[in-house]
Amino acid sequence: MTANGEKRAVGRPRRIERRQIVDTARRILQEEGVAALSMRRVAKEVGATPMALYHHVRDKDELLMLTLSGTAATVPRPDLPEDPRARIVATAVHMHGVLREMDWVVDVLGLGDLTDKGALWMTEEIVDSCVACGLTPEQAVHAYRTIWYVVYGALVFARAEARRAADPGRRPLFASLLTPEDAGELPRLAALADHWEETTAAYDVAEQVRKVVAGLLP
């Protein structure tokens, strides 16, 4: 009611677009990670109610898919070698390099069967090149998954190492677990404990992918 007793005019709800929703979700993911993203949080950021968001996006999984969509297209495709073995390695290394620069994408992919359709060319290249090297299509899919586990695993551990490095007061877990008394049962690990961090820091993803591919192909 106004001061003179008249009813206050009710304005229309603020109009929101799907693009605005997706851009907001991507910003939250980039700045704070997957754990910070919720439909309620996005609704608050765009000045709408959670119910209004559901008119544009079915659920959080669809929102995550929409944030991934088009991500791969922002990165130019590399020139790949003709040799299928070298092509597999180059594609896998490119995949690792792209995801290393997009931490939030690594987190989203870890939630399950979510991907950017525009990134599937890398899967196609690896599977097709595996077939060109003599694998059956089924074997090629298994080989691709093994390569992906190497790439994704390296990214996850790199994230963990970065978190440890950002906290100077945190002792390295591996080194803190071992004592001189463990040398009898774990002699190799005990001997490596003092320079384990330096050894793992020298891990070369490209070199390891090449070795894995050599073992997978006939």
Side-chain angles (χ1 to χ4, degrees), residues 80-95:
L80 298 174
E82 292 295 328
D83 176 68
R85 287 175 180 261
R87 199 174 185 89
I88 294 169
V89 174
T91 304
V93 171
H94 172 74
M95 184 188 300

Side-chain angles (χ1 to χ4, degrees), residues 12-29:
R12 291 184 177 182
R14 180 182 175 186
R15 180 179 177 84
I16 55 174
E17 302 289 343
R18 176 180 276 197
R19 183 74 265 160
Q20 181 187 7
I21 295 169
V22 173
D23 288 345
T24 300
R26 184 177 287 117
R27 177 178 56 76
I28 293 171
L29 289 167

